[in-house]
Amino acid sequence: MLITINLASEPFRRDRPMVAASVAVGLALGGLLAMLVSLAILERGTAAQTRQDIAQFQRRLQRLNDEQGRMEADLRRPENAAVLDQVLFINSLLYRKGISWTRIFSDLEGVMPHNLRLISIRPQVNGRNDVLLDMVVGAQSQLPVIEMLKQMESSPLFGSTEVHNWLPPSQTEPLYRYRVTVNYGRQP
């Protein structure tokens, strides 16, 4: 039988592995601290550069806003009012001229039933540059018109529809006629 006797005033402890592990962890944490400090310094420099870029863009934007304000003030002068009206009129004509009939008919073909007849169509541009299609359609019964209205309402190309009036069949015209206005969302 083996009896261990320790005559020291303090018992023997194995602290060497704990001290070595503590030193290793301390060195690793010190390295991480150095890396975080260097990243913070680098990020501070990048943030300063970003602030300078933003200040430069704001000065440039302010110069452009001032220039636009001066130009608008020139356009609002009474002697330039006639020219401004003419420019706005020409721009609206160019916008209306740019409406693609081929695209309108192609989009309408996707929502119109086969037994519905397009009698007339007139695109209009309102003050907000939205295109409205004022159409007259005809059918043997009312169901194709209702089907077309449902398909237009569910289509992303067309907005809200409005039926203005309708005429029943007569001796000279065998079709139900509907006058429909629809917002057309596809721009050329």
Side-chain angles (χ1 to χ4, degrees):
M1 176 156 122
L2 201 48
I3 299 175
T4 56
I5 298 175
N6 187 1
L7 297 177
S9 60
E10 292 182 20
F12 179 71
R13 295 184 326 192
R14 298 184 185 263
D15 290 338
R16 200 174 285 172
M18 187 66 151
V19 170
S22 296
V23 168
V25 169
L27 289 174
L29 289 175
L32 285 174
L33 177 64
M35 185 178 73
L36 288 174
V37 168
S38 67
L39 285 175
I41 291 170
L42 180 68
E43 193 64 34
R44 184 173 54 176
T46 305
Q49 180 63 37
T50 303
R51 283 191 295 274
Q52 288 175 355
D53 291 345
I54 289 173
Q56 179 184 1
F57 286 130
Q58 285 177 342
R59 286 190 300 271
R60 188 173 174 192
L61 179 64
Q62 186 60 40
R63 280 195 310 265
L64 290 174
N65 284 339
D66 292 343
E67 185 178 341
Q68 181 180 1
R70 284 192 302 273
M71 287 181 183
E72 286 178 359
D74 286 344
L75 288 175
R76 285 191 212 112
R77 290 194 322 217
E79 60 267 14
N80 295 335
V83 173
L84 179 62
D85 289 340
Q86 186 179 10
V87 165
L88 292 175
F89 176 71
I90 290 172
N91 283 343
S92 68
L93 286 179
L94 289 174
Y95 183 74
R96 289 179 185 172
K97 180 80 173 160
I99 295 173
S100 171
W101 285 97
T102 305
R103 186 173 281 162
I104 289 173
F105 286 124
S106 172
D107 293 338
L108 282 173
E109 182 180 8
V111 296
M112 289 184 66
H114 66 87
N115 54 352
L116 186 71
R117 185 180 301 169
L118 181 64
I119 297 172
S120 71
I121 183 170
R122 191 176 77 203
Q124 300 172 353
V125 180
N126 65 10
R128 296 181 316 221
N129 285 335
D130 294 333
V131 178
L132 300 172
L133 299 179
D134 188 15
M135 304 182 295
V136 176
V137 294
Q140 295 278 335
S141 69
Q142 297 175 345
L143 292 176
V145 177
I146 293 171
E147 182 180 335
M148 179 197 71
L149 293 175
K150 285 180 183 178
Q151 288 182 4
M152 280 185 170
E153 289 285 336
S154 64
S155 172
L157 299 175
F158 298 98
S160 62
T161 59
E162 184 178 346
V163 177
H164 293 286
N165 57 16
W166 66 279
L167 296 172
S170 64
Q171 290 180 350
T172 58
E173 180 59 50
L175 300 175
Y176 285 94
R177 287 179 168 241
Y178 286 85
R179 183 171 162 252
V180 178
T181 302
V182 62
N183 290 329
Y184 182 58
R186 187 181 229 182
Q187 303 296 325

